[in-house]
Amino acid sequence: MVLTLLCPAVRAQMAYSVDTTTFVIGDQVVLSIPLTDSLPSADMLAQNGIVVVRQYFDTVENNGAKQILHNSVLTCFDAGEHWLHIGSADSLLLTVFDVEGVDTSSLDIRDIAPYMKEGYTFWEIFRWILFALLIAALVVGVIYVVRRVRNNQPILPVPVKPEIPAEQVALQELEALRRRQLWQQGKLKEYYTELTDAVRRYLEKGHGIFSTDMTTDETLEAFHRSAIYTDQREIMLRQILTTADMVKFAKSEPLPYEHDRSMGNAVAFVQQTAPKPESDEAEKEENQ
């Protein structure tokens, strides 16, 4: 139902409309007023128990022409008749009814019930555990990085290749020298230099005898005091070093069999003085 009221004083210029004049407590009605220079505010319409919910503008078409309306949404929470004064000349009677079947005088009004506490679910607990683990991992990671930086160590340790035993290096070098056949090509000095260098490096890395910085006599003397000394081994080492000295310093030319003998003694010397595997040592102790 749309009710249109005309102001007696300026009947042709101003009109008001409301969608209904009767409603139930709490319902809302809309009062529409065409756009004018003097529009009632919310405070002006809030009278006689009437409450203004909100106000807004709307555009409608009237006989093909667009018209702007000022809308006020009204409500009331008191049953009875309420006069709404619009401006100085117009009044509107709004009738508000109680909700049928509800006797508020007989109702037992109670306080709002307290919040119900529900137990935590598995995923809620797991989420907090996971969060705590992440925080702990972050703290441990920060401590680890700080310690590595303070100690001038790489943050991520670089894997180190296991060092090849000295005896294996020496045997590989001697085998490579044998295959090159230097003495067969007349390169005797180069052959004996590489041969003795391989043996001297083995003594230094394998047994702590710094032979690379010693003469032949000093090397033999240090070997005589070492734990790997035997008469047979000293004979082999002496033959290798003295023959090499004769070639390098005295320009001697040994017979071919002496070249092979020097190589054979070098290989046998490394093999005999190399550390024995733990299994072999245990077997030797059992036999004793």
Side-chain angles (χ1 to χ4, degrees):
M1 167 182 169
V2 177
L3 176 63
T4 303
L5 305 174
L6 298 178
C7 177
V10 284
R11 186 177 300 273
Q13 298 179 359
M14 190 175 297
Y16 308 98
S17 65
V18 63
D19 50 5
T20 182
T21 59
T22 58
F23 57 94
V24 178
I25 288 178
D27 283 352
Q28 297 178 353
V29 297
V30 179
L31 172 67
S32 299
I33 304 173
L35 183 63
T36 62
D37 294 334
S38 57
L39 294 172
S41 64
D43 292 336
M44 294 173 59
L45 296 176
Q47 49 185 276
N48 299 327
I50 297 173
V51 179
V52 180
V53 179
R54 62 190 177 96
Q55 291 182 314
Y56 63 95
F57 289 96
D58 193 14
T59 302
V60 297
E61 288 191 6
N62 187 9
N63 296 327
K66 291 185 178 181
Q67 184 180 29
I68 300 177
L69 298 179
H70 178 263
N71 300 316
S72 300
V73 180
L74 311 176
T75 189
C76 185
F77 299 98
D78 294 327
E81 295 180 345
H82 303 271
W83 283 99
L84 177 63
H85 302 290
I86 305 172
S88 59
D90 291 281
S91 297
L92 179 64
L93 180 62
L94 298 177
T95 304
V96 182
F97 298 100
D98 274 332
V99 179
E100 295 183 0
V102 177
D103 184 6
T104 56
S105 62
S106 62
L107 292 178
D108 184 13
I109 301 176
R110 303 177 182 178
D111 292 336
I112 299 175
Y115 291 107
M116 295 180 61
K117 295 183 179 179
E118 294 186 0
Y120 292 102
T121 64
F122 168 79
W123 292 111
E124 289 175 334
I125 298 175
F126 178 76
R127 179 178 59 187
W128 285 108
I129 294 176
L130 181 61
F131 180 74
L133 291 176
L134 290 176
I135 294 297
L138 179 61
V139 172
V140 171
V142 171
I143 295 174
Y144 171 81
V145 172
V146 171
R147 287 183 176 178
R148 300 288 290 188
V149 172
R150 286 182 178 178
N151 297 331
N152 294 324
Q153 296 176 334
I155 296 177
L156 297 178
V158 180
V160 179
K161 293 182 179 180
E163 185 177 358
I164 301 176
E167 62 273 13
Q168 292 186 17
V169 175
L171 292 174
Q172 291 173 0
E173 292 175 348
L174 292 173
E175 177 62 19
L177 177 62
R178 185 186 66 79
R179 292 183 178 181
R180 290 171 62 190
Q181 298 184 347
L182 293 179
W183 71 264
Q184 290 90 336
Q185 303 172 29
K187 300 178 181 179
L188 297 181
K189 185 175 181 179
E190 183 177 353
Y191 172 76
Y192 279 99
T193 298
E194 295 189 19
L195 179 66
T196 54
D197 285 347
V199 175
R200 289 177 183 274
R201 283 193 296 268
Y202 165 71
L203 288 172
E204 181 172 336
K205 292 182 179 180
H207 301 284
I209 301 174
F210 297 94
S211 178
T212 55
D213 298 325
M214 297 177 180
T215 63
T216 296
D217 291 338
E218 291 173 341
T219 300
L220 292 172
E221 183 179 352
F223 174 74
H224 188 81
R225 297 193 303 267
S226 67
I228 60 174
Y229 168 81
T230 64
D231 291 340
Q232 181 62 31
R233 294 170 183 174
E234 183 181 20
I235 293 173
M236 290 190 292
L237 182 60
R238 184 182 297 276
Q239 186 275 326
I240 297 169
L241 297 179
T242 54
T243 303
D245 288 344
M246 292 295 294
V247 172
K248 290 188 291 183
F249 304 115
K251 297 183 179 180
S252 174
E253 294 187 6
L255 296 175
Y257 80 91
E258 293 184 87
H259 306 321
D260 289 334
R261 180 186 177 190
S262 296
M263 175 63 71
N265 283 338
V267 173
F269 178 81
V270 172
Q271 290 175 341
Q272 292 182 20
T273 56
K276 302 298 181 183
E278 295 182 0
S279 59
D280 293 347
E281 293 291 339
E283 183 177 355
K284 183 178 180 181
E285 292 178 0
E286 291 178 0
N287 294 333
Q288 292 177 352

